[in-house]
Amino acid sequence: MKRALITGITGQDGSYLADLLLAKGYEVHGIVRRASTSNTERLGDERADAVYDGTATDNLHLHHGDLNDGLALSRIVADVRPDEVYNLAAMSHVQVSFDMPEYTASTNGGGTVRLLEAIRAAKLDCRFYQASTSEMFGRTPPPQHEDSTFHPRSPYGTSKVFAHWCTINYREAYDLFAVSGILFNHESPRRGENFVTRKISRAVARIKVGLQDELALGNLDAVRDWGYAPEYVEGMWLMLQHEEPTDFVLATGTGTTVREFVETAFDHAGLDWRDHVRVDERFQRPAEVHALIGDASKAHRVLGWKAQTHAGDLARIMVDADVALLEGT
Ligand code: NAP
Ligand code: F7E
């Protein structure tokens, strides 16, 4: 039985990856940071409570830790001795990273080094996945692929470039099977509420049932390549099963503006977006990434991975899920 360690297991991707690996028969260990209220909703609070109580029936194990606490990371890595490590934890919100640049650098950049050092100190022969991002390309025009120039436009993007190069450095310096997955935006009903797709789908559902009338957004012209998160975590796993450690872009290859996503989401609920959406300067960023559209042909050729769900279907899946959530079904 393979053993995996996931940082960021309580996040969107971490929770889908845990589901995937448990279904494949893995023993799954996740690092959860301490919070004053529950942060295990995406894993299922009851399931997480059972893990903490020692009454769990599945193969999920949770450990308290934080990417800013190197000692805890070292202890967990040495105790668990995983075959595969997925480093998904991060301060992942681009706009917030402008308000918290030091924390972002420490968590996303320093945290990756702490984890890599913990693996090296434990002399672990494991495979390591780093959650890199299309935000590293920033100002480089699309289509962006594995060899495109990095020009990040936020503290988030710069911290991830550092972590990306640390991953490659540990591969070259210590022969660690370390892989960087450069993933374009991927969303789902489990997406955090302050990312634009979920903010839109949630607002559409709330407007539909009369709980809200207006939706304030920032730049409607930004172009993103939005895919479906469960398909992307499958891609992460495939990267670690490949015989060679090498980096991959995962993307749909289709660009959609925020405005087009809004229009599709409102249309799906039978609403006219122009009656409800207002542009608010507060959601504009000090430096914007205008267009990200990925070229994932390497992942298709080498791993057989291809995105199946594109932005239109994604908007409809997310609106349906938020309507169902409000209706309690
Ligand atoms: P997410 O939903 O924001 O989840 C982030 C996870 O990191 C959560 O489990 C969070 O814990 C945890 N975390 C945050 N700070 C931490 C710290 N200091 N120590 C330990 N854990 C910490 O992000 P996601 O969308 O699943 O993304 C997963 C990873 O992929 C991230 O590294 C992100 O930067 C990267 N990425 C995401 C996308 C995308 O479109 N989703 C694209 C490219 C790359 P709490 O639950 O307690 O907050
Ligand atoms: O913004 C624009 C905003 O915050 C998308 C993270 O997962 O993907 C994500 O980063 C676009 C931007 O995602 C609002 O200006 C307009 O152009 O949903 P977002 P992001 O910044 O692309 C990358 C790949 C990651 O790695 C990150 O971790 O939408 N936008 N109005 C808005 N964005 C937000 N959040 N809120 C608005 O009201």
Side-chain angles (χ1 to χ4, degrees):
M1 181 190 288
K2 275 196 187 168
R3 198 176 304 137
L5 175 65
I6 304 174
T7 73
I9 195 167
T10 57
Q12 171 189 257
D13 291 4
S15 61
Y16 281 121
L17 182 65
D19 292 343
L20 179 80
L21 297 182
L22 287 168
K24 287 184 184 298
Y26 277 61
E27 180 178 311
V28 175
H29 293 255
I31 297 184
V32 179
R33 57 178 176 164
R34 193 267 162 184
S36 65
T37 55
S38 171
N39 54 358
T40 51
E41 192 185 335
R42 291 179 177 112
L43 289 174
D45 282 333
E46 279 180 20
R47 181 161 72 154
D49 286 346
V51 174
Y52 291 130
D53 295 346
T55 55
T57 49
D58 61 9
N59 231 333
L60 178 66
H61 306 262
L62 300 175
H63 309 263
H64 279 114
D66 194 298
L67 282 194
N68 290 297
D69 183 344
L71 290 177
L73 291 179
S74 293
R75 183 180 44 72
I76 294 166
V77 164
D79 285 352
V80 173
R81 300 197 70 78
D83 302 297
E84 296 174 7
V85 176
Y86 295 86
N87 184 30
L88 309 188
M91 205 309 285
S92 70
H93 200 280
V94 173
Q95 185 163 16
V96 174
S97 77
F98 287 99
D99 299 329
M100 305 175 71
E102 186 188 353
Y103 176 80
T104 303
S106 178
T107 304
N108 302 359
T112 302
V113 178
R114 288 179 199 106
L115 190 56
L116 286 165
E117 272 300 286
I119 291 169
R120 192 164 78 92
K123 297 191 177 11
L124 266 193
D125 181 20
C126 70
R127 296 187 169 203
F128 178 84
Y129 174 87
Q130 169 58 21
S132 290
T133 165
S134 51
E135 281 292 305
M136 301 190 305
F137 298 122
R139 216 161 115 167
T140 297
Q144 296 98 353
H145 52 77
E146 290 81 2
D147 298 320
S148 298
T149 305
F150 295 145
H151 187 141
R153 299 268 286 165
S154 63
Y156 171 77
T158 54
S159 70
K160 286 285 189 174
V161 171
F162 175 78
H164 171 80
W165 280 110
C166 287
T167 304
I168 293 172
N169 182 240
Y170 274 65
R171 181 164 79 211
E172 293 176 352
Y174 305 117
D175 212 18
L176 179 68
F177 191 111
V179 166
S180 178
I182 307 173
L183 274 49
F184 283 62
N185 300 53
H186 46 280
E187 321 289 312
S188 73
R190 295 188 194 172
R191 187 56 143 153
E193 290 88 351
N194 56 1
F195 295 94
V196 78
T197 53
R198 185 75 198 287
K199 186 172 166 184
I200 295 164
S201 64
R202 210 166 156 260
V204 166
R206 288 171 59 83
I207 291 168
K208 180 94 183 144
V209 300
L211 287 174
Q212 181 176 334
D213 188 47
E214 198 176 75
L215 169 62
L217 292 173
N219 179 13
L220 300 182
D221 296 318
V223 174
R224 287 293 182 275
D225 179 331
W226 281 297
Y228 188 38
E231 296 169 11
Y232 285 57
V233 301
E234 176 95 35
M236 295 174 188
W237 176 76
L238 285 171
M239 287 181 213
L240 290 201
Q241 311 317 305
H242 186 55
E243 67 260 21
E244 299 258 325
T246 171
D247 307 326
F248 292 94
V249 158
L250 298 185
T252 70
T254 309
T256 304
T257 61
V258 173
R259 184 180 288 100
E260 286 165 339
F261 194 97
V262 165
E263 192 171 356
T264 308
F266 276 81
D267 270 3
H268 187 56
L271 298 165
D272 186 339
W273 70 277
R274 281 161 298 212
D275 296 337
H276 303 280
V277 173
R278 165 174 75 78
V279 171
D280 188 324
E281 287 294 310
R282 279 185 307 143
F283 301 109
Q284 304 274 356
R285 295 167 183 188
E288 175 65 293
V289 170
H290 296 292
L292 293 172
I293 308 171
D295 171 0
S297 47
K298 181 180 172 189
H300 190 209
R301 196 177 62 250
V302 178
L303 303 175
W305 183 91
K306 197 170 189 313
Q308 304 298 325
T309 309
H310 290 245
D313 286 338
L314 184 63
R316 289 183 277 274
I317 289 170
M318 292 177 70
V319 167
D320 286 345
D322 273 317
V323 169
L325 201 64
L326 275 186
E327 289 172 347
T329 56

